Amino acid sequence: MSTLSVQDHHGVHHDEHGHEHHHDTFLTKYIFSQDHKMIAKQFLITGIIMAVFAMLLSILFRIQLAYPDKAFPLMETILGRFAPEGRMDPNFYLSLVTIHGTIMVFFVLTAGLSGTFSNLLIPLQLGARDMASPFMNMLSYWLFFIASLVMIGSFFIEKGPAGPGWTIYPPLSALPKAMPGSDMGMTMWLISMVLFVASQLMGGINYVSTVLNMRTKGMDLWKMPLTIWAFFLTAILGVLAFPVLVAGVVLLIFDRSVGTSFYLSDIVLGGVPQPFEGGSPILFQHLFWFLGHPEVYIVIMPALGISSEIIATNSRKPIFGYHAMVYSLVGITVLSFIVWGHHMFVTGMNPFLGGVFMITTLIIAVPSAVKTFNYLATLWRGNIRFTPAMMFAIGLVSFFISGGLTGIYLGNAALDINLHDTYFVVAHFHLVMGSAAIFGMLAGVYHWFPKMFGRLMDEKLGYLHFWITFIGAYLVFFPMHFMGLDGVPRRYYAFTEFESFERWLSVNTFITWAAIMAAVAQVAFLFNFFYSIFFGKKTTQNPWNSNTLEWTTPIERIHGNWPGEIPTVYRWPYDYSKPGHDEDFIPQTVPYSETMSSNLPHDFENNPVGMEEYNKWTNTQRSNEEVK
């Protein structure tokens, strides 16, 4: 493949050198910054705040599920009119579930994860001064920030935030009078999501443009780290899938405000027939899940890319099956667009069409299994360093396996019809998508914290954070599989009114306390994170002895990344523990001519000049041995 390089390196250098002497104000340096590294920090800190908010919401509705008939005076103090006499209002319970899901899926695991690490690593690992469009990059963050404010602001309106579930199925989302959460709160949800999608499209176009056009000299596609492949393909997914959600949302706004019937038909509201006819709520499901299933991979692929880098670095081994990993990411990207129907097996879908979606769903498990196998093969007999980042990366692999196995059950139409809308589904996606992606995000924070802030996080607090969170996640979600197998439905406000479900009340209580335990563990992370920004141990330039380009930049922040000429890349990023070399890592910037004793014939594929030099050196060494 051809190598694309930055146009006019020297011109760019002089421009950036000029910027270094320009005095930045507080606003231009920290608020309206166009430096990709600062924007990455903005995405990260905003994502952390949104995650804490969503976590608190989950604790509130878990308390309701654990103690459905008990009044908590403190609940009324916190929630006011939404918890009269200390008992949570059922409509507000649905709103908590809705906003928790929305924030975690979109604002934390999509924007918080991709926004942080795509911004931080794409220019640094590719050898670029900044993103293709720094201004559009800045605008992407601020649209995300405004979307976050609108979403949280919906808690402060009279009837409360949106309540139809994070999937906002009609008719609850299309009829403002259907329930309190269908009114103004639903409108704010729609406004927030349109702003969010605009932010993601700006970011995605920027990421794709940067990867294709701004790689440094020598950085061809097969020398890119797997992190960049993951971010690149994730951006393509987002650019293609998010506009479909906007189309569905626009039609939903028409149904809510203009009187159209895209999704509504034969509606009776309060005993009064409504003048809607000809629409279908199934149309909305098709539009939503055409985004919704690629969204699963928009969430998990960046986490997988991050884990690939961290596992290789801390195993001190080359990543196993680099090309297979890339092809599996490409396969997931393509197949993710033709599996959305497995969310709709219970809609009365034609059995033949259901069979098609079932087959494609089972096929997409193959590239996921390839990635899992490659992670395990990389770990096998590696000289593993159990840093906090490595622990979270291994935790991701654990969740990806345990949660992915239950996906095979749900991908089978005959089984899914029985398990759909039960706690089995909740357990599945919270393990394979929620927990795995969060662990990937946390692994990335621990690993690249020195690059972002010039300091190291405390390892002991990192280990404490990992073990309590890891154990807590399994204690929360593993029992839900058995609840789902017993038919316990999701999104119910209380199960005490159903005699057959009362036996699960003690399990709900156990899950709630496990969730509280896991939530408390995040206090250790939050303290570690913010304390280390200011008082953590100062880092060296390359604290993990990594090969990728970001560790060649100076510790202090420079808008432009490298003070001089951008380094040239000569090799792939996974030359760890290569026989014949003095150290167990060889950075990408080291030419093969400097590592003759550790070079191998396959290092010179498509490089006949290098192969000729290697053969000459080999012959010389052989002659010297014969003389001796």
Side-chain angles (χ1 to χ4, degrees):
M1 296 190 181
S2 63
T3 301
L4 300 176
S5 60
V6 178
Q7 299 297 316
D8 190 8
H9 281 268
H10 297 288
V12 173
H13 165 57
H14 290 314
D15 287 344
E16 295 298 340
H17 188 71
H19 281 301
E20 284 305 303
H21 290 86
H22 176 71
H23 178 68
D24 281 330
T25 65
F26 179 84
L27 284 176
T28 58
K29 187 174 182 179
Y30 295 106
I31 309 299
F32 299 109
S33 174
Q34 295 186 32
D35 181 1
H36 70 98
K37 299 182 292 298
M38 182 57 67
I39 294 171
K41 296 177 192 177
Q42 291 173 325
F43 268 106
L44 176 59
I45 292 174
T46 306
I48 288 173
I49 293 169
M50 294 297 283
V52 169
F53 186 73
M55 182 180 67
L56 293 175
L57 299 186
S58 69
I59 297 300
L60 286 173
F61 66 69
R62 285 294 340 161
I63 290 173
Q64 165 58 35
L65 289 171
Y67 305 101
D69 299 320
K70 191 173 181 179
F72 294 92
L74 183 61
M75 192 83 78
E76 185 174 15
T77 304
I78 297 172
L79 301 178
R81 65 183 182 279
F82 298 121
E85 299 179 0
R87 295 178 184 273
M88 187 180 294
D89 180 73
N91 288 307
F92 188 68
Y93 170 84
L94 295 176
S95 294
L96 291 180
V97 174
T98 299
I99 303 301
H100 165 78
T102 301
I103 289 177
M104 289 306 298
V105 171
F106 294 111
F107 290 79
V108 178
L109 297 177
T110 300
L113 182 53
S114 283
T116 298
F117 293 104
S118 294
N119 266 300
L120 177 70
L121 296 178
I122 287 177
L124 286 175
Q125 290 194 338
L126 290 182
R129 295 292 185 191
D130 207 312
M131 284 291 177
S133 173
F135 177 78
M136 193 162 74
N137 203 23
M138 177 194 72
L139 203 57
S140 169
Y141 168 73
W142 281 104
L143 283 173
F144 164 62
F145 182 76
I146 295 169
S148 303
L149 291 182
V150 173
M151 187 64 71
I152 294 177
S154 64
F155 278 84
F156 299 97
I157 59 177
E158 184 180 356
K159 294 186 178 180
W166 78 275
T167 54
I168 59 164
Y169 285 168
L172 288 180
S173 60
L175 291 170
K177 295 181 180 179
M179 61 184 287
S182 302
D183 205 343
M184 186 63 185
M186 189 67 236
T187 301
M188 293 183 71
W189 191 99
L190 296 170
I191 293 170
S192 175
M193 286 308 299
V194 169
L195 290 168
F196 174 84
V197 172
S199 161
Q200 293 306 296
L201 289 177
M202 286 185 177
I205 292 169
N206 226 347
Y207 306 152
V208 172
S209 301
T210 305
V211 171
L212 292 179
N213 297 305
M214 299 187 68
R215 303 194 302 276
T216 189
K217 184 179 179 182
M219 178 67 79
D220 64 38
L221 293 178
W222 293 114
K223 291 190 179 76
M224 295 197 311
L226 289 170
T227 43
I228 303 301
W229 274 107
F231 300 148
F232 174 58
L233 294 168
T234 298
I236 292 174
L237 270 180
V239 169
L240 295 177
F242 272 118
V244 179
L245 176 65
V246 173
V249 163
V250 169
L251 298 184
L252 186 58
I253 292 171
F254 284 170
D255 276 10
R256 289 174 57 83
S257 307
V258 186
T260 56
S261 300
F262 291 106
Y263 307 131
L264 299 172
S265 184
D266 304 322
I267 299 291
V268 178
L269 193 62
V272 179
Q274 301 297 303
F276 300 109
E277 59 182 33
S280 171
I282 306 301
L283 169 62
F284 179 83
Q285 290 195 36
H286 279 293
L287 293 173
F288 181 88
W289 286 114
F290 190 81
L291 157 81
H293 201 79
E295 170 65 18
V296 171
Y297 296 104
I298 289 171
V299 164
I300 195 63
M301 281 210 307
L304 294 174
I306 287 168
S307 294
S308 299
E309 177 68 22
I310 292 171
I311 286 174
T313 300
N314 289 291
S315 295
R316 311 313 291 168
K317 280 178 63 180
I319 195 78
F320 184 87
Y322 172 84
H323 288 81
M325 295 283 262
V326 172
Y327 291 134
S328 67
L329 286 170
V330 174
I332 288 171
T333 302
V334 174
L335 289 169
S336 67
F337 283 104
I338 53 175
V339 297
W340 81 89
H342 68 224
H343 295 273
M344 301 171 60
F345 286 145
V346 296
T347 60
M349 179 184 291
N350 183 298
F352 174 77
L353 188 59
V356 171
F357 280 119
M358 183 176 74
I359 291 168
T360 56
T361 300
L362 296 178
I363 290 173
I364 203 172
V366 175
S368 300
V370 167
K371 294 194 74 62
T372 301
F373 172 77
N374 287 12
Y375 289 139
L376 297 178
T378 304
L379 290 166
W380 177 252
R381 302 187 72 178
N383 186 20
I384 299 175
R385 301 182 309 195
F386 289 102
T387 65
M390 185 62 160
M391 300 292 281
F392 277 99
I394 295 173
L396 175 145
V397 176
S398 171
F399 288 128
F400 197 62
I401 293 172
S402 57
L405 289 173
T406 56
I408 297 173
Y409 291 84
L410 294 172
N412 187 308
L415 291 172
D416 181 74
I417 288 170
N418 296 284
L419 295 172
H420 196 82
D421 269 337
T422 70
Y423 267 82
F424 194 91
V425 178
V426 178
H428 160 70
F429 77 74
H430 273 90
L431 283 180
V432 77
M433 188 180 83
S435 298
I438 287 174
F439 268 55
M441 183 175 179
L442 291 170
V445 171
Y446 280 102
H447 188 74
W448 282 289
F449 189 90
K451 181 48 56 184
M452 285 190 276
F453 299 103
R455 296 178 183 270
L456 296 166
M457 294 180 73
D458 184 78
E459 278 201 346
K460 291 181 179 177
L461 282 175
Y463 295 136
L464 178 71
H465 177 217
F466 167 77
W467 282 113
I468 299 179
T469 307
F470 182 74
I471 294 168
Y474 269 118
L475 292 179
V476 169
F477 300 119
F478 196 74
M480 290 183 184
H481 292 95
F482 301 100
M483 296 174 69
L485 289 171
D486 196 37
V488 178
R490 61 199 285 201
R491 294 184 181 142
Y492 273 38
Y493 169 74
F495 297 113
T496 49
E497 296 182 19
F498 302 89
E499 188 176 344
S500 60
F501 296 147
E502 278 189 355
R503 57 184 160 182
W504 293 105
L505 186 59
S506 59
V507 176
N508 258 325
T509 306
F510 173 80
I511 290 173
T512 296
W513 282 105
I516 291 171
M517 177 186 76
V520 170
Q522 308 319 305
V523 176
F525 168 73
L526 292 172
F527 172 80
N528 196 0
F529 181 84
F530 288 105
Y531 179 86
S532 298
I533 290 176
F534 302 102
F535 305 108
K537 180 183 176 183
K538 290 187 176 181
T539 184
T540 56
Q541 186 176 22
N542 189 359
W544 315 123
N545 291 338
S546 260
N547 292 339
T548 43
L549 284 181
E550 74 269 28
W551 304 108
T552 65
T553 61
I555 297 171
E556 65 273 11
R557 184 180 78 89
I558 297 175
H559 191 173
N561 298 331
W562 287 269
E565 188 175 347
I566 298 175
T568 299
V569 166
Y570 298 96
R571 59 180 74 229
W572 77 323
Y574 300 109
D575 269 342
Y576 291 107
S577 300
K578 211 169 180 185
H581 194 67
D582 295 336
E583 296 179 300
D584 66 352
F585 72 107
I586 309 176
Q588 286 186 279
T589 54
V590 176
Y592 284 109
S593 59
E594 296 180 12
T595 59
M596 281 298 187
S597 61
S598 65
N599 291 343
L600 298 170
H602 69 74
D603 291 330
F604 302 100
E605 289 179 10
N606 303 319
N607 184 3
V609 176
M611 190 66 194
E612 187 178 344
E613 291 179 1
Y614 172 71
N615 288 333
K616 285 181 181 177
W617 183 87
T618 305
N619 292 332
T620 302
Q621 292 297 110
R622 192 178 294 117
S623 300
N624 292 339
E625 289 294 323
E626 290 173 357
V627 169
K628 288 181 182 178

